[in-house]
């Protein structure tokens, strides 16, 4: 189990440059899932050698968020743009859930990306959020391949069942197949396409492996892939197989670099914002400070303070 360290939060919503998101929200810095290819250590400035050992928790982020949704421009909030907001610590701490409570009450659109079935715990909230969606990060349909690259992550079957539950609850669910492992077989990604379609995914977005320095060394040490010069070729072969199988099963497919927010009439191409605008007039105004205090209360005794560090983002 990783060491949990509490850090203060000075900003909950950070402007996002990612397609489809206006804001990024990351309740945790650090991630116990410790995927081989993870680039997040470089993004948040944590040493790669200690990644996975310590998870920094922004204890006050729901309180800060409750203030920010009153002041900032309403837009799509991407949850887990850097580290997984449903990693194991969330089961006990429920900080991502408290953030969702704030966003649901303020009726802000939300897009979650995760590898963890724990997100289904929050379907009661997600089903009340306009244009909510949940993406499941799944790179292969073969758990033997998954174990090598994402040893601490939930098995593929658990993620597919979680996707099924999300879609079944009426919340848009999609699969982010990335990064595709150069070692994967074409048959494995074809299975992924079929599993995704059968479970009710609305879309599959795929990306190749782009290891940064640090992650690259880990990948090379821990796997026995083809020589690196063949990675691009393998990635392209997997991408084509995935695209072909998606076509076979009628699942919309996009490469990550080409993906665009879903088109809709009259809003310049973003369903999230249509729904957000429609919801805006009904949005309740949080009563300050009583409402903020109520939302923050569960955190006061949630866990002891190990340390207080300066907020990174
Ligand atoms: S789940 Fe995401 S943030 Fe966590 S280690 Fe894996 S890639 Fe990194």
């Amino acid at each position: 189990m990783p060491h949990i360290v509490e850090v203060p939060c000075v900003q909950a919503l950070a402007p996002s440059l990612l397609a489809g998101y206006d804001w990024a929200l990351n309740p945790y810095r650090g991630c116990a899932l410790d995927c081989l290819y993870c680039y997040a250590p470089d993004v948040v400035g944590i040493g790669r050698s200690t990644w996975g050992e310590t998870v920094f928790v922004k204890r006050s982020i729901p309180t800060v968020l409750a203030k920010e949704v009153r002041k900032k421009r309403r837009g799509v909030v991407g949850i887990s743009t850097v580290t997984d907001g449903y990693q194991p610590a969330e089961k006990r701490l429920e900080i991502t859930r408290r953030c969702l409570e704030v966003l649901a009450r303020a009726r802000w659109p939300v897009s979650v990306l995760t590898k963890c079935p724990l997100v289904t715990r929050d379907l009661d909230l997600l089903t009340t959020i306009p244009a909510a969606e949940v993406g499941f990060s799944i790179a292969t349909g073969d758990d033997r391949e998954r174990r090598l690259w994402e040893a601490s992550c939930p098995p593929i079957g658990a993620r597919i069942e979680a996707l099924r539950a999300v879609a079944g609850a009426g919340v848009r669910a999609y699969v982010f197949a990335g990064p595709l492992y150069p070692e994967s077989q074409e048959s494995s990604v074809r299975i992924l396409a079929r599993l995704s379609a059968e479970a009710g995914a609305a879309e599959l977005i795929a990306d190749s492996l782009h290891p940064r320095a640090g992650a690259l060394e880990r990948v090379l040490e821990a796997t026995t892939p083809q020589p690196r010069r063949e990675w691009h070729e393998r990635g392209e072969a997997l991408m084509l197989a995935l695209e072909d199988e998606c076509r076979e099963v009628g699942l919309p497919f996009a490469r990550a670099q080409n993906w665009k927010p879903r088109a809709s009439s009259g809003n310049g191409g973003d369903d999230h914002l249509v729904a957000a605008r429609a919801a805006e007039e009904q949005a309740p105004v949080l009563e300050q400070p009583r409402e903020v205090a109520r939302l923050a209360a569960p955190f006061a005794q949630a866990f002891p303070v190990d340390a207080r560090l300066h907020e990174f983002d």
Side-chain angles (χ1 to χ4, degrees):
M1 286 292 289
H3 186 52
I4 302 295
V5 177
E6 181 185 326
V7 292
C9 172
V10 294
Q11 176 180 257
L13 295 170
S16 175
L17 296 177
L18 296 172
Y21 298 162
D22 298 292
W23 302 102
L25 182 110
N26 290 282
Y28 299 94
R29 190 187 324 146
C31 182
L33 297 178
D34 197 20
C35 304
L36 210 54
Y37 49 78
C38 184
Y39 65 84
D42 300 323
V43 176
V44 301
I46 294 177
R48 193 165 291 274
S49 61
T50 57
W51 187 253
E53 294 174 9
T54 302
V55 173
F56 299 90
V57 181
K58 301 174 188 176
R59 173 180 175 269
S60 60
I61 192 170
T63 310
V64 175
L65 178 63
K67 292 175 182 168
E68 290 184 7
V69 295
R70 290 169 57 84
K71 296 177 182 163
K72 291 186 172 175
R73 182 178 56 82
R74 188 190 305 266
V76 181
V77 179
I79 297 182
S80 309
T81 58
V82 181
T83 52
D84 201 312
Y86 285 95
Q87 60 178 290
E90 169 63 15
K91 186 170 185 182
R92 178 169 64 94
L93 301 178
E94 297 191 357
I95 293 183
T96 300
R97 180 175 173 82
R98 300 299 168 209
C99 290
L100 274 183
E101 285 182 0
V102 173
L103 294 167
R105 290 178 68 84
R107 300 184 68 76
W108 278 45
V110 163
S111 179
V112 178
L113 182 61
T114 183
K115 291 184 169 81
C116 300
L118 180 60
V119 68
T120 59
R121 177 199 65 190
D122 294 343
L123 276 174
D124 60 325
L125 295 169
L126 288 163
T127 50
T128 70
I129 294 175
E133 69 174 6
V134 177
F136 287 91
S137 175
I138 315 173
T140 174
D142 186 332
D143 250 328
R144 290 166 301 183
E145 295 173 356
R146 190 274 306 166
R147 275 190 217 107
L148 188 58
W149 291 73
E150 303 175 358
S152 302
C153 291
I156 292 160
R159 293 184 228 179
I160 291 290
E161 287 314 305
L163 187 153
R164 189 190 310 282
V166 170
V171 174
R172 185 178 190 274
Y174 72 93
V175 168
F176 182 80
L180 297 174
Y181 316 145
E183 292 182 319
S184 278
Q185 302 298 310
E186 280 87 336
S187 57
S188 305
V189 297
R190 287 182 181 275
I191 290 169
L192 172 62
R194 290 196 170 262
L195 289 172
S196 304
E198 190 272 328
E203 182 179 27
L204 188 148
I205 303 166
D207 199 12
S208 303
L209 181 67
H210 310 286
R212 298 188 182 195
L216 175 62
E217 287 76 23
R218 287 187 79 200
V219 168
L220 289 170
E221 277 170 22
T223 66
T224 54
Q226 297 77 13
R228 200 179 151 206
R229 64 179 176 278
E230 294 179 13
W231 284 9
H232 176 73
E233 194 180 309
R234 284 297 305 145
E236 189 56 25
L238 294 169
M239 197 72 80
L240 290 173
L242 197 47
E243 183 170 14
D244 180 60
E245 198 67 29
C246 284
R247 194 181 306 115
E248 282 286 316
V249 297
L251 179 60
F253 170 91
R255 295 184 183 223
Q257 71 267 29
N258 299 332
W259 182 85
K260 296 213 169 26
R262 296 187 302 286
S264 75
S265 57
N267 76 332
D270 194 329
D271 285 348
H272 287 304
L273 296 182
V274 168
R277 284 180 198 129
E280 199 156 358
E281 292 181 2
Q282 311 159 25
V285 176
L286 295 178
E287 296 168 28
Q288 299 281 3
R290 194 183 65 197
E291 188 66 1
V292 170
R294 187 191 71 73
L295 290 167
F299 300 96
Q301 292 89 32
F303 49 92
V305 176
D306 291 335
R308 289 188 178 274
L309 306 178
H310 291 294
E311 181 61 38
F312 174 80
D313 52 10

